[in-house]
Amino acid sequence: MAWRYALMIDPAASDDPRTDFSETFTVIDPATPALSVGELSTQRGDGIFESIGVVDGHPQEVEPHLARLAHSAQLCDLPAPHAEQWRQAIARALAEGPAEGEGVIKLILSRGVEHGPAPTAWVTAAQAADNTAARTRGIRVVTLDRGYDSGAPARAPWLLLGAKTLSYAVNMAAIREAKRRGADDAIFVSSDGVVLEAPTASVVLRFGDRFVTPEPTGAILQGTTQVSLFDHLRAEGRDVAYEAIPAADLVKADAVWLLSSVRLAAPVTAIDGAEIVVDAALTASFNDYLLSPRD
Amino acid sequence: MAWRYALMIDPAASDDPRTDFSETFTVIDPATPALSVGELSTQRGDGIFESIGVVDGHPQEVEPHLARLAHSAQLCDLPAPHAEQWRQAIARALAEGPAEGEGVIKLILSRGVEHGPAPTAWVTAAQAADNTAARTRGIRVVTLDRGYDSGAPARAPWLLLGAKTLSYAVNMAAIREAKRRGADDAIFVSSDGVVLEAPTASVVLRFGDRFVTPEPTGAILQGTTQVSLFDHLRAEGRDVAYEAIPAADLVKADAVWLLSSVRLAAPVTAIDGAEIVVDAALTASFNDYLLSPRD
């Protein structure tokens, strides 16, 4: 039976001197109504989020996720999150869950209720879907035009391209388009042909002994799982690099993975119908690492 | 005292043969929790909406709004809305409100709760803000790059550019950017310099005796208020046209307005700091028309 918990949070100002935030949390049944129809998260997708993987009760990479939440808040002119409050909220949500298995914790910070005084915040914790097939048999992807050229993020920060906002309708539409084309997922490319990211994952390619991922230029979200994997590869003495990757190079790669916090490393078996060889042993070693406790 | 009502809707299939949908509506207090944290509207901005102006108890342009809701649903692979059910929901929400003054009715159709069986739908009705100053004194606007080139909508329908989705974080960020620059609102232009729309309004320009608005190419939402105003102008024997408008032409126009369902016709007094003359009498005649009962 799948488990699921939720915690409403009364968000503290970033300079709140308290050390114990337990009184700001309210555990709720996630199936019961908790948000009003005036919520700007629901009316405008106006808020930010993070998804944290949980393995056997351990939340993975909490600090990088909190750092990215703070970065998203800044890009969206939301009040800076109080990191310690969110740490305690994560711990509190986890205390409600089982000590074994895989889960996902979502942190949500909404601009709040329309004309309301303050942001709304909550955390959900749920059992993860079984991602074994994606991690071992792999996934088929298609490339989809993201519409923006590579220069857009620098000249138009109001496009919020580096923020993980709740406005994910396009990301969801891209995954539906991929499925319509007989694939499992998508890789976005810029209108001038540069590899960006997947709708909910980062892209990593192997060329010989080198592992390459798109530069974190602000056009994409830098993936916490991708960064963690690169740390691991570097520690193993492997060569990793951030580069502008032409879309045409995707099918020239010796291997391609999509990396994300919950599905972890999913080897790509085909891009736009062109088959790609899967290195099963290397992929398994990636997922072994990604399933180990990481901070 | 501002009034506000909300109605939860159990959405009917588009071929539901019922003629009375009253049993599918539940009037709620809009301030109380009504949505669960699993709502995809709130997690992903994954849903669509319409905002309908209300004048002295009369909902304006209901059928064009319902037609656009159906178009958005199609673009987003959501089940087709049952038009008659929504008509009755609008009437039911209005019956809760006062017979005088200006209001706004919002129709929201969300993809529903994650892993849930069906969409979620609701209607809110609220007193409108006082838009007298915007309608008479006018608004200052800045142009902002929308990031997309003019060809993007045709080659990448998954960008949902013609759909009125709940993923409005960028629209809200653009209005904040405009305010940072000392203006009131923004006009989006494509990366190749074509006038698009405002974050929550349509753009209409006057050149001599001609009234011009951007072509409804799929890059923008066709504004119900703009269409209604063009019908009115045409009936008055005036020349109206849909054209590709170079951004450089904005400051050459004899007059510019932003048109939307609730604020109605707001004359633009400056674009990127360049002053524009306001035709007060013509603007007043537009708003007189737009405040008259329209279907």
Side-chain angles (χ1 to χ4, degrees), chain B residues 120-134:
Chain B
T120 315
W122 63 97
V123 166
T124 63
Q127 186 171 329
D130 181 353
N131 286 299
T132 309

Side-chain angles (χ1 to χ4, degrees), chain B:
Chain B
M1 162 108 189
W3 49 276
R4 190 168 172 86
Y5 302 92
L7 201 69
M8 299 303 297
I9 301 174
D10 182 13
S14 59
D15 61 353
D16 191 316
R18 280 178 288 183
T19 55
D20 178 355
F21 289 93
S22 52
E23 66 184 18
T24 66
F25 307 141
T26 310
V27 177
I28 60 162
D29 174 351
T32 61
L35 306 170
S36 82
V37 292
E39 251 299 316
L40 291 169
S41 57
T42 201
Q43 283 192 36
R44 302 288 197 192
D46 199 358
I48 56 177
F49 77 106
E50 286 293 323
S51 294
I52 299 178
V54 178
V55 181
D56 296 338
H58 183 83
Q60 304 281 54
E61 300 279 343
V62 167
E63 294 308 314
H65 282 288
L66 290 178
R68 195 167 64 181
L69 188 74
H71 182 61
S72 294
Q74 187 178 27
L75 291 174
C76 293
D77 304 308
L78 284 163
H82 193 300
E84 179 57 20
Q85 183 183 33
W86 286 93
R87 265 180 225 118
Q88 292 183 19
I90 293 164
R92 181 77 182 79
L94 278 174
E96 299 286 321
E100 293 188 350
E102 290 183 52
V104 53
I105 287 199
K106 287 193 187 171
L107 320 180
I108 294 106
L109 177 60
S110 151
R111 200 172 301 277
V113 173
E114 196 171 12
H115 312 305
T120 315
W122 63 97
V123 166
T124 63
Q127 186 171 329
D130 181 353
N131 286 299
T132 309
R135 291 176 195 160
T136 55
R137 276 185 268 156
I139 55 175
R140 301 173 69 83
V141 307
V142 294
T143 55
L144 294 179
D145 186 338
R146 187 64 187 86
Y148 300 117
D149 64 278
S150 309
R155 67 174 192 270
W158 47 88
L159 300 176
L160 305 178
L161 292 170
K164 197 168 172 75
T165 78
L166 299 173
S167 285
Y168 253 44
V170 168
N171 305 56
M172 298 297 104
I175 293 173
R176 289 196 301 276
E177 175 68 17
K179 292 187 171 164
R180 247 191 302 270
R181 297 187 187 187
D184 306 295
D185 209 334
I187 292 178
F188 282 132
V189 300
S190 69
S191 61
D192 49 350
V194 177
V195 176
L196 296 172
E197 63 194 343
T200 65
S202 314
V203 182
V204 169
L205 299 88
R206 179 173 71 79
F207 294 98
D209 293 333
R210 302 183 71 229
F211 293 86
V212 181
T213 198
E215 298 173 300
T217 57
I220 61 173
L221 293 177
Q222 189 161 23
T224 53
T225 312
Q226 170 270 311
V227 170
S228 177
L229 180 69
F230 270 31
D231 287 346
H232 171 68
L233 290 170
R234 223 183 266 112
E236 285 193 328
R238 297 189 190 249
D239 186 15
V240 299
Y242 292 88
E243 291 177 2
I245 303 167
D249 283 5
L250 280 171
V251 292
K252 298 177 192 163
D254 295 306
V256 181
W257 296 267
L258 297 191
L259 273 288
S260 50
S261 296
V262 180
R263 194 172 60 184
L264 304 178
V268 173
T269 62
I271 297 180
D272 295 331
E275 303 292 326
I276 297 207
V277 175
V278 168
D279 185 332
L282 185 59
T283 301
S285 80
F286 285 2
N287 282 314
D288 285 348
Y289 164 70
L290 293 170
L291 285 164
S292 69
R294 293 177 292 120
D295 286 315

Side-chain angles (χ1 to χ4, degrees), chain A residues 259-284:
Chain A
L259 273 287
S260 50
S261 296
V262 178
R263 194 172 61 184
L264 304 179
V268 173
T269 62
I271 297 179
D272 295 331
E275 304 291 326
I276 297 208
V277 175
V278 169
D279 184 333
L282 185 60
T283 301

Side-chain angles (χ1 to χ4, degrees), chain A residues 34-35 41-42 44 145 155 166, chain B residues 34 41-42 44 145 155 166:
Chain A
L35 306 171
S41 57
T42 201
R44 302 289 196 190
D145 187 337
R155 69 173 191 270
L166 299 172
Chain B
S41 57
T42 201
R44 302 288 197 192
D145 186 338
R155 67 174 192 270
L166 299 173

Side-chain angles (χ1 to χ4, degrees), chain A residues 133-135 137-141 184-185 257-258 263 266-270:
Chain A
R135 291 177 194 160
R137 276 185 268 157
I139 55 175
R140 300 173 70 84
V141 307
D184 306 294
D185 209 334
W257 295 267
L258 297 190
R263 194 172 61 184
V268 173
T269 62

